Every structure is written in structure tokens, then in C-alpha cells.
Amino acid sequence: MEAVTELDEASLRGQADVWKYMLRFADSMALKSAVELRIPDIIHSHDHALTLSEITCSFDSASPSPDITCLSRIMRLLVRRNIFTAQPDGGDSGETLYGLTHSSRWLLHDSEFTLAPMVLMETNSTLMEPWHCFSQCVKQGTPCAFEKAHGRDIWQFFSEKPEFNRLFNDGMSCTAKITMKAMLTGYKGGFDNVATLVDVGGGTGSAVAEIVKLYPSIKGINFDLPHVVAIAPEYHGVSHVGGDMFDGGNIPNTDAIFMKWIMHDWSDNDCVKILKNCRKAIPERSGKVIIVDVVLEPNGDGMFDDTGLVFDLLMIAHASGGKERTESEWKKMLELAGFPRYKIIKIPALSSIIEAYPV
């Protein structure tokens, strides 16, 4: 009889898990609504916990009659998810005071380090459509769900839709700041003895500019497609060079190459091509490639290990053949590209640093 009870308990737990994962999108949508309503910003601007009435009084003029009951139900879930705190106001009204947590402080729009733009980007309905195409990707053998949902790849889509391009750039910019801060904090001595540094796929140059600011003796080169660097602002100690990382003769000669969140956008074959071209641009004995990207730990219990697996699915949703990689996958790819040695350096972020050496 006892065994049957245990079996029933396990079966019930299995059912509960299916419900939980089936409806997990509700967490994302509740989080999105809080960011759109700027609830973290409102609480932060008052510098103390607020009631729902006080929060809604700070909504913009386009919200003349907010539904406080609806908001309370959203906040109830977000409190359970530890996005906000909730406690009685201590008065006769019986109202609840809502405060910030370490999580909601990452949702402040005007903070130097914020994930609010990334929340709005990843929960946008257009960018969520590809997630519905995963089963087609499996059956038809083409991994890019974005093309199935929208008939073209994400880069072409963004070139045709300026509003989505801005949404994407805002999301990438906020995560880049967070990653760069973690890298410059955790990569002690990594740029010592580097006289020139090329940021391959560096966009408008903000990342290499941050490095040069901290290491002013480095000559920084921002390398990206000509139309990208054409609109790049001037940075002290940084020059912009237009070219194609798939063209072996384009990458400027340098002591070291830096690539942040580039490899995960491309297939293994494309990454090997890029890395081979990087190898040609650095010294045989003293050169190195510094890659900032996710190193998957499928069975890990680290703070970001679960998110890494989700990011890998994000690559199916949005990238053309991109993927996140385990250490063994990185090792194989680096060896094929002519980098027999590598070192993985953990930093306080979702990404790690992979130093690759040609000898």
C-alpha cells in the first residue's frame, strides 16, 4: 500500500511539473507588463515601498483609469517569483506595500546596468513567433525558426523594420554593458602585454573602447562590416576598419583578437572559417584570441547554467545555424581552426572567456 502511495505522489508531481512548464510563459508576460508599466522605476523613484494605488498614480496620463485588481493579480505572481517584495502597510487600510528586490533592480530603465530592454526585446510578439516553429525545424532539418516564421533571416528582417532594429540594438546594448563589466572585473591581467587589439564583429566599437579606456596603452581596432563602422562614433585610442571576417585577408594584423558574442551566432563550419582568419592575423607564438561566449554545462548547477541551455534554444529561434557550445564542442572547433591550446576563465556573468592559442 505504501508503494502505491509513493507512486501516486510521483505521478502527481509529474502532472504538476507539466502544468508548471506548460504555463511558464506567464512569468515572462507578467515580467514584461511590469517593465512596460515601469513599476520598478516608480518604486525606485519614491525610494520606498508603495501601495498599488500609489504606483498607479504615477502612471502616465494615457492611463486615466487603471485596473488595480488586475495589477494586484500580476504583482501577486511576481512577488512569488521574488521580483518584488510585499508586506502589509501597518495601517488600518489593510493595503500591501510593494518593494524592490535584487531582481527588480535589474529592470530599472535608467540604470547603467539594466536588463529592461532585453526583457522587452525577447518578449516581443514578433520575436516570440519563431518559438512556435521548433517542431518544424526538427522535422524539416533546418534549424533557423525565424526564417520559418517570417520568411527571411533576422538580419534581413531588421533591415526592413527599423523599429525592430532599434528594439534589437537596445537589447544587445544593455547586455553588452553587463557582460563587459563582468569581463573587465573578472579577466585580471588578460590584456597585459597586448599592444594592439582587434575587436572582430565589434559593431560600433563600444566594447573595445571600454577596454582601451582601462588599458590606455593598447591601440584598439574595431573591425566590422563597412556599413556598420561607417556610423561608428569616434573613441579615443580606437580606429574603425571595415571588412568581412569571412575574408581571410581582411582582419588587420594584431597581437590579440577579441570576439564577444560572435561565435554563438554561427554554425561550427562558419566559426572555423572565422577562427582560421583570426589565426592568420595574430603572431604564431605570442598571439591569442579572446572569445567571450557561453560555455554550456548541461548537468551543471551553477547560477547561469540553466539559462545557458535556454540561450541555446534562443539560437534556434533567432540565429541562422548558431548555437551555444559545451567545452568539448569548443575544443573540437578550436582544434579544427588551428588552436590546439585553450583556457576557460569563469567571470561573474552568463558568458565565460575562452582564450585560444595557435601553438
Side-chain angles (χ1 to χ4, degrees), residues 10 21-22 82 135 146 174 186 245 248 253 271 277 293 330 352:
Y21 299 130
M22 180 200 318
N82 296 314
S135 58
F146 195 94
C174 80
M245 61 188 175
N253 291 332
C271 285
N277 291 335
D293 235 315
W330 278 110
S352 296

Side-chain angles (χ1 to χ4, degrees), residues 17 32 43 53 55 58 107 111 114 141 144 153 166 168 180 197 210 248 256-257 266 271 283 285 297 343 346:
D17 283 345
K32 177 185 182 180
I43 298 172
S53 299
I55 290 171
S58 296
L107 303 175
S111 173
T114 176
C144 184
D153 69 30
R166 283 193 297 272
F168 178 80
M180 285 302 298
L197 179 71
E210 285 295 311
I257 283 174
W266 300 96
C271 285
R285 300 208 167 271
E297 295 278 1
K343 178 169 63 175
K346 297 288 187 181

